[in-house]
């Protein structure tokens, strides 16, 4: 059985998650004895970007271009992906569980009459069946979901599947774009230029109630800046209090993040917060309460007054990175 | 305006998870169940839209066992007009099977809007809402944090990585609610009393065949216990050293 990897572009550039999805497809297809096709959906001119997906693990790169595909086009993307998925003997369709992919994957599944697993952190093949491994109950349990269908759709949690290199080029060919415009993304309002999203950054610095007021988030922003490219996150308590926007919230009713480094400042570690960050590679906690639950998941902790510790840490990180 | 809100009964998000004897579900002993938190935003939006339109009906629909009636009743107490329970022994893990049953119920309902929470807090699927939209061939916008409706047309905003998409669509439509869309109300005593008299229709769920099966459920591996590097700002240099040489993240 073959695997179809549906990739995602923004402003004509393939997103990092596309490489993750293509390589996950490669590993799965190898286990299933099949091939990998990568589907690129975008405005005309995607060939060069698409060609890189051969090296990323695709045997064939299929490019569907239409002027209306410049931004996410929910109906058109779904119709095109489903049309492609009906050809080519695919047993699995993989999509990244980004904001766009979470919207797209169920649409493709419904069009294919295929079962769906969202936000998977693992995919395996045994005894002729595909199984997705996925966190449920806010990461407090791991579910194995097995498919008993000719084709299944699985969305993969970003930052969880490593990209890889095939050491060879794939072929690039065009496929027909199916357009439909019942739901139209009129514009994308960008957040502040250069601002990184918590779900995508490799370093996340989050602040909680311990900061005592929204004005003190400058401390968090400065620390994030010292790391070079870190995103600012926030606990639910401070988002609910209106100190920070919901887009920055990490946890059960916010975003799930899996960065290389997560720094929790003045966050006690409520179960809802831990749900959103426990899969970070390294966790650092700074809190005045040595019994705070955050220290139970933190790799490294400092107990004390964040107003003294964070400026010093900012200074030392900047120095370490400069040296 | 006629609005359907599809809700799910889920374990309280503070629940301590224990795995049941079958190794594939949670032990529900002593577990408190609540309405899926995202569904509350959908309910609130439905109530506000009905009231703004100066009339209409908000129908709350749940799929699952009998106990789902309690959850429906809690939404009736918030102000919904009537409920429908699509009865099933348990809620399947196959989102498409659930979507098919809901779509069958919604199909001839004449709804202007069908609302869902953006995801279920228990099984973490984001699928049922957009699947229902596809099955009913309706426009759909997911995870909306802002909504404007006028003259049969709508504009919604949804957060994406590093920005916000502004999305246009026409009614009837399926929308799924993100936190921040509104502030859900608490039921007032009067509403709780009134809810007791509101009708809940119970009928079997026309579930599709379940082709996604939970073969196991397990607790995640504990994170290795970390260590307190020290106290106060003097511990900072040691922390930075560890991040660089041991964790290798600098």
């Amino acid at each position: 059985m073959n695997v179809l990897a549906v990739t995602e572009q923004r402003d004509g550039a393939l997103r990092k998650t596309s490489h993750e999805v293509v390589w996950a497809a490669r590993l799965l297809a190898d286990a299933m004895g099949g091939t990998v096709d990568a589907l690129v959906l975008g405005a005309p001119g995607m060939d060069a970007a698409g060609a890189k997906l051969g090296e990323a693990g695709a045997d064939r790169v299929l490019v569907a271009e239409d002027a209306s595909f410049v931004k996410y086009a929910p109906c058109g993307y779904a119709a095109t992906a489903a049309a492609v998925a009906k050809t080519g003997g695919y047993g699995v369709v993989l999509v990244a569980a980004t904001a766009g992919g979470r919207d797209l994957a169920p649409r493709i599944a419904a069009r294919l009459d295929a079962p769906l697993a969202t936000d998977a952190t693992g995919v395996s093949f045994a005894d002729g069946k595909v199984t997705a491994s996925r966190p449920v109950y806010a990461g407090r349990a791991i579910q194995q979901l097995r498919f008993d269908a000719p084709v299944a759709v699985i969305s993969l949690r970003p930052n969880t599947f490593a990209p890889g290199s095939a050491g060879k080029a794939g072929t690039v060919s065009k496929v027909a774009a199916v357009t439909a415009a019942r739901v139209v993304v009129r514009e994308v309002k960008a957040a502040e230029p250069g601002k990184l999203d918590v779900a995508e950054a490799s370093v996340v610095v989050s602040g909680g109630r311990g900061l005592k007021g929204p004005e003190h988030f400058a401390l968090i922003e400065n620390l994030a800046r010292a790391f070079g490219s870190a995103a600012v996150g926030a606990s639910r308590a401070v988002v609910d209090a209106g100190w920070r926007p919901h887009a920055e919230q990490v946890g059960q009713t916010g975003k799930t993040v899996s960065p290389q480094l997560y720094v929790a400042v003045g966050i006690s570690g409520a179960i809802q917060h831990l749900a959103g960050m426990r899969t970070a590679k390294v966790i650092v906690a700074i809190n005045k309460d040595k019994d705070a639950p955050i220290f139970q998941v933190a790799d490294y902790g400092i107990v004390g007054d964040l107003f003294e510790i964070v400026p010093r840490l900012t200074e030392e990180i900047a120095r370490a990175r400069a040296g | 305006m006629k609005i359907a809100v599809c809700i799910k009964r889920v374990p309280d998000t503070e629940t301590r998870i224990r795995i049941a004897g079958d190794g594939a579900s949670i032990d529900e002993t002593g577990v408190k169940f609540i309405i899926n938190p995202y569904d509350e935003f959908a309910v609130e939006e439905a109530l506000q839209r009905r009231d703004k339109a100066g009339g209409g009906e908000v129908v709350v629909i749940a799929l699952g066992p009998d106990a789902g009636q309690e959850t429906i009743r809690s939404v009736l107490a918030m102000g919904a007009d009537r409920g429908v329970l699509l009865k099933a022994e348990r809620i399947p893990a196959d989102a498409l099977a659930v979507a098919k049953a809901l779509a069958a119920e919604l199909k001839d309902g004449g709804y202007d809007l069908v609302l869902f929470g953006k995801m279920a807090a228990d099984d973490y699927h984001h699928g049922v809402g957009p699947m229902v939209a596809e099955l009913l061939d309706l426009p759909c916008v997911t995870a909306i944090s802002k909504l404007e409706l006028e003259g049969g047309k709508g504009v919604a905003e949804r957060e994406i990585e590093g920005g916000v998409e502004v999305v246009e669509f026409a009614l009837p439509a399926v929308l799924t609610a993100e936190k921040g869309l509104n502030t859900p109300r608490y039921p007032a005593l009067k509403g709780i009393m009134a809810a007791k008299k509101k009708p809940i229709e119970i009928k079997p769920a026309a579930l599709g065949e379940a082709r996604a099966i939970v073969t196991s459920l397990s607790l995640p591996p504990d994170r290795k216990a970390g260590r307190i590097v020290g106290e106060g700002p003097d511990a900072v240099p040691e922390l930075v050293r560890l991040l660089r040489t041991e964790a290798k993240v600098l």
Side-chain angles (χ1 to χ4, degrees):
Chain A
M1 281 190 289
N2 301 326
V3 181
L4 178 65
V6 179
T7 67
E8 187 178 354
Q9 52 82 24
R10 177 102 48 104
D11 301 325
L14 287 166
R15 302 186 65 193
K16 184 174 127 230
T17 50
S18 296
H19 292 263
E20 297 170 9
V21 167
V22 170
W23 191 250
R26 175 80 269 155
L27 298 178
L28 183 60
D30 288 349
M32 294 166 57
T35 60
V36 175
D37 290 348
L39 175 63
V40 176
L41 301 145
M46 287 302 300
D47 280 10
K52 292 180 189 152
L53 292 174
E55 172 65 26
D59 296 302
R60 294 195 305 167
V61 181
L62 311 174
V63 181
E65 293 176 338
D66 188 84
S68 68
F69 284 5
V70 61
K71 290 192 281 283
Y72 178 48
C75 311
Y77 279 28
T80 303
V84 170
K86 282 176 185 161
T87 65
Y90 302 111
V92 178
V93 178
L94 296 182
V95 182
T98 55
R102 284 178 169 176
D103 185 89
L104 182 61
R107 295 176 190 263
I108 298 173
R111 283 168 188 258
L112 294 177
D113 193 28
L116 168 75
T118 53
D119 243 317
T121 53
V123 184
S124 60
F125 179 74
D127 304 325
K129 308 256 191 220
V130 175
T131 297
S133 173
R134 44 193 306 276
V136 291
Y137 300 102
R140 282 170 290 149
I142 309 293
Q143 177 192 74
Q144 304 296 327
L145 195 62
R146 191 192 69 203
F147 299 108
D148 289 336
V151 57
V153 178
I154 306 174
S155 71
L156 306 180
R157 179 170 287 188
N159 273 335
T160 306
F161 293 82
S165 171
K168 67 177 179 71
T171 62
V172 179
S173 54
K174 291 271 198 292
V175 291
V178 185
T179 58
R182 305 180 64 194
V183 175
V184 177
V185 177
R186 187 177 66 195
E187 61 168 313
V188 177
K189 295 196 279 193
E192 298 159 43
K195 187 173 172 178
L196 271 171
D197 190 87
V198 282
E200 293 192 306
S202 58
V203 178
V204 175
V205 183
S206 287
R209 214 196 282 274
L211 281 150
K212 294 184 177 153
E215 65 280 13
H216 296 134
F217 258 79
L219 285 172
I220 302 296
E221 285 162 354
N222 289 342
L223 179 55
R225 212 168 294 126
F227 278 107
S229 58
V232 172
S235 72
R236 175 177 165 174
V238 306
V239 170
D240 284 354
W243 297 1
R244 302 300 292 184
H246 178 245
E248 291 180 2
Q249 186 185 327
V250 173
Q252 179 143 9
T253 47
K255 288 177 180 158
T256 302
V257 302
S258 300
Q260 292 294 302
L261 175 62
Y262 187 87
V263 184
V265 179
I267 293 176
S268 63
I271 200 162
Q272 290 97 337
H273 188 77
L274 302 183
M277 42 67 83
R278 63 178 295 142
T279 54
K281 182 164 169 269
V282 176
I283 298 172
V284 170
I286 298 167
N287 202 292
K288 68 177 188 320
D289 175 9
K290 69 173 174 28
D291 296 321
I294 192 78
F295 287 123
Q296 285 163 26
V297 300
D299 300 281
Y300 306 109
I302 297 183
V303 178
D305 181 356
L306 70 89
F307 293 97
E308 291 174 12
I309 297 165
V310 173
R312 179 80 187 271
L313 182 59
T314 304
E315 224 170 81
E316 296 276 344
I317 294 291
R319 186 177 309 150
R321 284 176 36 87
Chain B
M1 190 169 224
K2 190 172 178 187
I3 306 171
V5 190
C6 300
I7 64 159
K8 187 177 187 186
R9 177 177 176 265
V10 301
D12 191 320
T13 52
E14 296 278 1
T15 304
R16 190 194 159 101
I17 301 294
R18 291 180 313 264
I19 308 297
D22 66 359
S25 60
I26 63 162
D27 179 354
E28 295 188 356
T29 316
V31 171
K32 183 184 157 210
F33 283 83
I34 58 169
I35 179 175
N36 175 40
Y38 292 100
D39 298 349
E40 292 189 311
F41 302 106
V43 169
E44 179 61 35
E45 198 61 30
L47 298 175
Q48 288 185 17
R49 294 290 157 188
R50 178 197 61 192
D51 296 346
K52 202 172 167 190
E57 189 180 30
V58 172
V59 181
V60 51
I61 304 172
L63 183 149
D66 270 330
Q69 284 187 69
E70 283 169 37
T71 320
I72 291 174
R73 197 70 72 185
S74 73
V75 176
L76 297 178
M78 287 172 75
D81 299 288
R82 63 183 173 92
V84 178
L85 176 67
L86 302 175
K87 209 170 146 182
E89 204 175 314
R90 59 198 303 170
I91 304 172
D94 186 333
L96 189 55
V98 174
K100 285 176 180 172
L102 289 171
E105 170 63 25
L106 292 162
K107 191 167 180 288
D108 300 316
Y111 295 102
D112 302 298
L113 269 181
V114 179
L115 301 178
F116 290 81
K118 74 155 182 177
M119 62 180 281
D122 56 353
D123 68 13
Y124 258 54
H125 269 301
H126 304 73
V128 176
M131 282 173 158
V132 165
E134 292 287 340
L135 294 170
L136 296 177
D137 197 24
L138 290 176
C140 174
V141 189
T142 59
I144 64 168
S145 52
K146 196 174 170 191
L147 175 65
E148 283 166 27
L149 294 178
E150 208 176 315
K153 288 202 182 341
V155 180
E157 292 189 2
R158 61 190 302 268
E159 278 171 20
I160 60 169
E161 296 84 1
V164 173
E165 281 178 352
V166 182
V167 189
E168 296 177 334
F169 60 95
L171 299 185
V174 176
L175 304 172
T176 77
E178 169 67 289
K179 182 183 176 184
L181 179 61
N182 49 46
T183 308
R185 68 193 67 184
Y186 290 102
L189 184 60
K190 200 174 143 204
I192 295 169
M193 298 309 287
K196 291 182 179 165
K197 296 195 194 98
K198 291 178 179 172
I200 299 178
E201 185 187 356
I202 300 171
K203 47 181 152 179
L207 285 169
E209 183 196 0
R211 294 171 302 159
I213 290 135
V214 179
T215 55
S216 98
L217 189 71
S218 56
L219 298 178
D222 277 337
R223 277 192 81 94
K224 199 163 57 77
R227 66 183 119 138
I228 302 289
V229 176
E231 291 193 12
D234 292 345
V236 167
E238 175 62 2
L239 172 64
V240 173
R241 189 190 70 78
L242 289 167
L243 290 178
R244 176 178 254 187
T245 59
E246 191 177 84
K248 297 188 168 56
V249 289
L250 283 186

